[in-house]
């Protein structure tokens, strides 16, 4: 079996390629930076390496210069369309290169097959047409802004450090977290510490008197409020309130603080629920909420440090159906996960919290290699994916992500994860009370309500998946209120491979032929389908492949029931 190494710092780019290659019969290795790629290449001697040019620690070009000494290893580089970069690659004599955003998975698989069957070759100087065909870094609309010019990584890291120091976590949070982790702490001691921060004390009192607690008696003192909230929750409440107060200017970028913190709070709450469901050790459970709450704080830092540039990325990503993380790397040479780690270490939070929070974008293999922090990181990653599927808040990146592999690695069952999803939707009603203490911020409607409003009426959909409890689309449409159990207006097929897709489509066609109800079909493929896809006979269908965004899925349903023209096409890496 041929062995292929995929090296790219962005999981949303790396994982689909890895899945596609495994389905095509190749053994795969994965690395998220140049140093890790070089180490794996030297240890395992892969037959072919797919190497990204722009990676942290060691760039793809630096890595390439060393890898060229490995006998019989062919190398493909994935790059943007800058002429100078392509010329450097050609000069290194690689087996081939691909322009990001310009290749499909069938094309990639065909190129790999040809390279592995042929003797090692070097590419020739690219023709001018190669550059002419490269995509312009602009949105589809003529009046959309151009993607900002790339910045220098050291400059961005320095700017992140400055923003982090300006938003230092106040000592009161560190003090309360240390008290909460001490089993001998009393609620009176917690109240004494909170009194040191008058503004925080007022918000705690207001939260305790919110309708969430449904108490007829008003909490008149801070001690009453702390008793009502309870020792197990007070640390998380303080962490949430304090963290949200550190970022009040990110709105300039287009991030909506209410939606952002709804998402972050939900990830923390979901991570807690999952930790309890899999009976994680108590010491690890205590850090899950904090790691989940903080997992995207690097995005807030980037948006605050570079509001104009980040605002452009937020506008460009959905129009080009691009990964926001990929655009971050392209412009800032840093992803929000890296920025998160820098911030949490600077704020002197526990290293396990910083690691778990910053690993939420990693692959399953990366999380496993991280050891004990990887276990909590795996739970935070699963919590993030489930929260996206439940459309609780919006982190700025409205992308649905596969859940099944992560859930199985965590060790949670479909039934248990469904119970977590059901409980969390109820729990997150609490979030409104965080914003009730921020009187300058008016409450907006939920993201789920806005998505549902894109379609007139409420269509009925059914989702056909191999593991419904682990399927993001099943959670997504249930949250929209469109899975009512009646005869569907649209049937959704959710699959990760060609064989799984063919099987599920056949099951759907056979089932509808027995009932005589043949409705339109939307096929969503979480990984590329090798060899293409055979449409279901005699029924309208649409297909989304690769990156699956909220709006694309909803708009595809609208198209299939005849409400609007389709803007959905298969998405390439």
């Amino acid at each position: 079996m041929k062995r292929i190494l995929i090296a790219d710092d962005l999981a949303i780019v790396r994982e689909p390629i890895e899945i596609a290659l495994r389905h095509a019969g190749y053994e795969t290795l994965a690395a998220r930076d140049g140093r890790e790629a070089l180490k794996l290449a030297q240890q395992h001697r892969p037959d072919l390496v797919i190497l990204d040019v722009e990676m942290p620690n060691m760039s793809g070009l630096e890595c390439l210069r060393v890898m060229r000494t490995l006998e019989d290893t062919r190398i493909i580089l994935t790059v943007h369309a800058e002429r100078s970069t392509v010329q450097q690659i050609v000069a290194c004599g690689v087996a081939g290169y691909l322009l990001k955003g310009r290749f499909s998975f069938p094309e990639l698989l065909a190129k790999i097959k040809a390279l592995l069957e042929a003797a090692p070759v070097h590419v020739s100087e690219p023709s001018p047409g190669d550059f002419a065909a490269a995509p312009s870094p602009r949105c589809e609309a003529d009046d959309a802004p151009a993607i900002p010019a790339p910045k220098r990584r050291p400059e961005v890291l320095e700017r992140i450090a400055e923003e982090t120091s300006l938003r230092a976590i106040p000592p009161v949070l560190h003090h309360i977290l240390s008290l909460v982790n001490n089993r001998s702490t009393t609620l009176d001691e917690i109240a004494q510490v909170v009194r040191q921060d008058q503004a925080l004390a007022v918000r705690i009192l207001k939260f305790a008197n919110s309708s969430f607690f449904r108490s007829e008696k008003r909490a008149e003192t801070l001690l009453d409020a702390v008793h009502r909230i309870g020792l197990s929750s007070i640390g998380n409440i303080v962490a949430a309130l304090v963290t949200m107060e550190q970022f009040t200017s990110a709105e300039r970028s287009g991030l909506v603080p209410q939606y952002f913190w709804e998402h972050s709070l939900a990830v923390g709450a979901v991570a807690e629920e999952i930790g309890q469901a899999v009976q994680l050790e108590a010491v690890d459970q205590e850090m899950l909420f904090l790691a989940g709450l903080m997992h995207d704080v690097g995005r807030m830092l980037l948006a605050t440090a570079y509001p104009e540039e980040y605002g452009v990325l937020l506008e460009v990503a959905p129009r080009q159906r691009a990964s926001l993380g990929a655009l971050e790397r392209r412009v800032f040479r840093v992803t929000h996960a890296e920025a998160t780690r820098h911030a949490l270490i600077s704020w002197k939070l526990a290293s396990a919290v910083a690691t778990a929070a910053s690993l939420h974008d990693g692959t399953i293999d990366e999380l496993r290699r991280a050891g004990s922090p990887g276990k909590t990181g795996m739970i935070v990653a699963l919590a993030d994916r489930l929260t996206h599927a439940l459309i609780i808040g919006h982190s700025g990146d409205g992308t649905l992500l596969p859940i099944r592999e992560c859930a199985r690695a965590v060790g949670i069952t479909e039934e248990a994860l469904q119970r977590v999803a059901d409980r969390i939707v109820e729990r997150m009603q609490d979030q409104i009370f965080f914003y009730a203490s921020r009187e300058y911020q008016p409450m907006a409607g939920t993201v789920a309500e806005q998505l549902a409003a894109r379609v007139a009426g409420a269509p009925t959909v059914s989702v056909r998946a191999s593991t419904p409890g682990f399927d993001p689309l099943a959670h997504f449409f249930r949250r929209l209120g469109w899975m009512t159990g009646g005869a569907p207006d649209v049937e959704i097929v959710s699959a990760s491979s060609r064989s799984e897709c063919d099987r599920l489509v056949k099951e759907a066609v056979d089932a509808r032929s027995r009932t005589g109800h043949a409705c339109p079909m939307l096929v969503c493929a979480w990984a590329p389908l090798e060899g293409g896809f055979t449409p279901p006979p005699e029924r309208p269908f649409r297909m989304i492949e690769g990156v699956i965004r909220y709006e694309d899925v909803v708009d595809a349903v609208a198209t299939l029931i005849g409400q609007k023209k389709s803007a959905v096409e298969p998405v390439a890496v």
Side-chain angles (χ1 to χ4, degrees):
M1 181 183 293
K2 296 292 186 181
R3 181 180 297 140
I4 299 176
L5 168 62
I6 305 102
D8 197 300
D9 57 302
L10 296 173
I12 200 168
V13 173
R14 184 178 60 244
E15 285 185 343
I17 295 177
E18 189 178 4
I19 293 170
L21 293 179
R22 285 204 299 266
H23 284 310
Y26 297 108
E27 179 185 346
T28 62
L29 303 166
R32 63 177 179 177
D33 61 43
R35 289 179 184 169
E36 186 180 14
L38 186 58
K39 182 178 179 181
L40 289 173
Q42 291 170 333
Q43 288 177 345
H44 300 281
R45 296 301 175 104
D47 299 285
L48 185 139
V49 179
I50 301 174
L51 187 65
D52 184 37
V53 170
E54 298 173 353
M55 291 188 293
N57 296 328
M58 177 186 285
S59 73
L61 288 174
E62 292 172 318
C63 190
L64 170 63
R65 294 186 181 100
V66 180
M67 281 189 181
R68 287 179 62 200
T69 64
L70 300 179
E71 187 177 354
D72 293 334
T73 295
R74 299 160 176 82
I75 301 172
I76 298 176
L77 276 90
T78 58
V79 300
H80 294 295
E82 290 85 352
R83 174 182 287 272
S84 60
T85 303
V86 176
Q87 288 174 333
Q88 290 182 65
I89 290 168
V90 171
C92 289
V94 298
Y97 70 91
L98 295 164
L99 297 181
K100 278 191 173 181
R102 293 291 295 177
F103 70 88
S104 64
F105 285 105
E107 178 188 352
L108 173 63
L109 293 171
K111 183 181 283 286
I112 288 171
K113 183 178 180 181
L115 286 172
L116 292 177
E117 290 177 352
V121 296
H122 297 300
V123 295
S124 59
E125 177 72 27
S127 68
D130 290 332
F131 296 99
S136 171
R138 295 186 63 84
C139 297
E140 295 169 352
D142 292 338
D143 60 348
I147 295 176
K151 299 186 179 299
R152 294 177 58 253
R153 178 179 168 87
E155 170 203 323
V156 174
L157 290 175
E158 183 178 351
R159 187 76 171 272
I160 289 172
E162 291 173 0
E163 292 292 337
T164 302
S165 64
L166 289 173
R167 291 164 177 77
I169 295 296
V172 65
L173 176 57
H174 289 288
H175 197 168
I176 288 174
L177 290 176
S178 66
L179 287 175
V180 169
N181 291 330
N182 186 337
R183 298 186 184 279
S184 64
T185 296
T186 66
L187 288 170
D188 290 17
E189 290 174 306
I190 296 285
Q192 288 287 350
V193 174
V194 173
R195 283 193 187 96
Q196 299 172 21
D197 187 320
Q198 186 176 6
L200 177 62
V202 170
R203 291 197 297 277
I204 290 289
L205 191 61
K206 192 168 187 177
F207 178 75
N209 283 315
S210 68
S211 59
F212 166 63
F213 290 98
R214 299 180 179 86
S215 175
E216 295 181 1
K217 184 179 179 181
R218 181 177 177 79
E220 298 292 347
T221 68
L222 184 60
L223 185 58
D224 291 339
V226 171
H227 273 271
R228 181 169 295 177
I229 294 170
L231 186 61
S232 62
S233 299
I234 190 66
N236 292 341
I237 299 300
V238 171
L241 290 171
V242 166
T243 305
M244 286 190 288
E245 286 301 312
Q246 303 306 309
F247 298 94
T248 57
S249 58
E251 289 170 280
R252 291 173 54 203
S253 70
L255 279 179
V256 180
Q258 175 192 330
Y259 295 151
F260 182 90
W261 292 117
E262 280 181 8
H263 172 81
S264 297
L265 285 161
V267 172
V270 173
E272 267 191 323
E273 293 274 0
I274 293 172
Q276 293 170 12
V278 299
Q279 298 181 331
L280 197 67
E281 291 183 12
V283 66
D284 292 325
Q285 282 190 36
E286 290 170 357
M287 72 174 69
L288 283 174
F289 179 88
L290 193 56
L293 173 70
M294 298 289 191
H295 80 287
D296 269 344
V297 76
R299 180 162 286 155
M300 269 288 181
L301 282 167
L302 287 173
T304 303
Y306 299 98
E308 290 79 13
E309 294 90 336
Y310 208 89
V312 171
L313 301 193
L314 290 173
E315 184 177 350
V316 166
R319 295 197 189 196
Q320 291 190 347
R321 301 187 185 93
S323 156
L324 185 56
L327 292 175
E328 288 172 351
R329 166 61 62 192
R330 177 173 177 177
V331 173
F332 301 115
R333 309 303 196 204
V334 170
T335 65
H336 72 277
E338 291 178 81
T340 292
R341 182 171 179 80
H342 281 282
L344 300 191
I345 290 174
S346 174
W347 288 337
K348 295 182 171 56
L349 293 180
S351 61
V353 172
T355 301
S358 60
L359 282 174
H360 73 276
D361 250 359
T363 66
I364 302 301
D365 289 341
E366 290 164 354
L367 290 162
R368 284 175 176 147
R369 288 198 296 269
S372 179
K375 177 69 172 180
T376 51
M378 192 106 59
I379 291 176
V380 173
L382 176 57
D384 182 43
R385 293 173 182 222
L386 182 59
T387 302
H388 274 273
L390 294 173
I391 333 171
I392 302 176
H394 199 300
S395 67
D397 189 4
T399 304
L400 291 166
L401 299 167
I403 288 175
R404 181 168 58 193
E405 189 176 2
C406 195
R408 286 174 172 168
V410 165
I412 192 169
T413 65
E414 288 185 69
E415 295 76 14
L417 192 66
Q418 184 60 60
R419 287 194 294 271
V420 168
D422 293 340
R423 280 199 302 271
I424 212 64
V425 171
E426 294 181 12
R427 274 189 65 182
M428 296 324 294
Q429 299 301 320
D430 312 352
Q431 290 179 0
I432 191 171
F433 302 115
F434 286 101
Y435 293 94
S437 68
R438 298 159 62 91
E439 295 170 351
Y440 63 87
Q441 176 67 52
M443 292 296 297
T446 68
V447 177
E449 289 169 347
Q450 294 182 31
L451 285 168
R454 294 172 74 95
V455 182
T460 299
V461 306
S462 64
V463 175
R464 188 172 292 272
S466 298
T467 50
F470 291 157
D471 191 77
L473 288 165
H475 290 291
F476 179 82
F477 284 112
R478 190 175 291 112
R479 180 81 167 105
L480 287 180
W482 293 0
M483 288 181 64
T484 60
D489 300 307
V490 176
E491 184 158 26
I492 316 294
V493 169
S494 176
S496 296
S497 67
R498 170 68 185 275
S499 59
E500 184 180 29
C501 185
D502 288 344
R503 175 176 59 80
L504 292 172
V505 168
K506 184 177 185 303
E507 288 177 5
V509 171
D510 291 346
R512 297 308 169 198
S513 65
R514 289 193 296 271
T515 63
H517 179 73
C519 61
M521 182 180 291
L522 171 61
V523 177
C524 293
W526 301 99
L529 302 183
E530 182 189 0
F533 169 70
T534 303
E538 299 180 358
R539 69 164 75 183
F541 88 102
R542 288 288 183 274
M543 182 173 180
I544 306 175
E545 183 179 12
V547 178
I548 300 178
R549 303 184 65 86
Y550 296 163
E551 294 85 353
D552 290 346
V553 174
V554 171
D555 290 349
V557 170
T559 299
L560 288 168
I561 62 176
Q563 287 195 13
K564 64 185 294 184
K565 181 181 178 181
S566 175
V568 180
E569 298 173 356
V571 181
V573 173

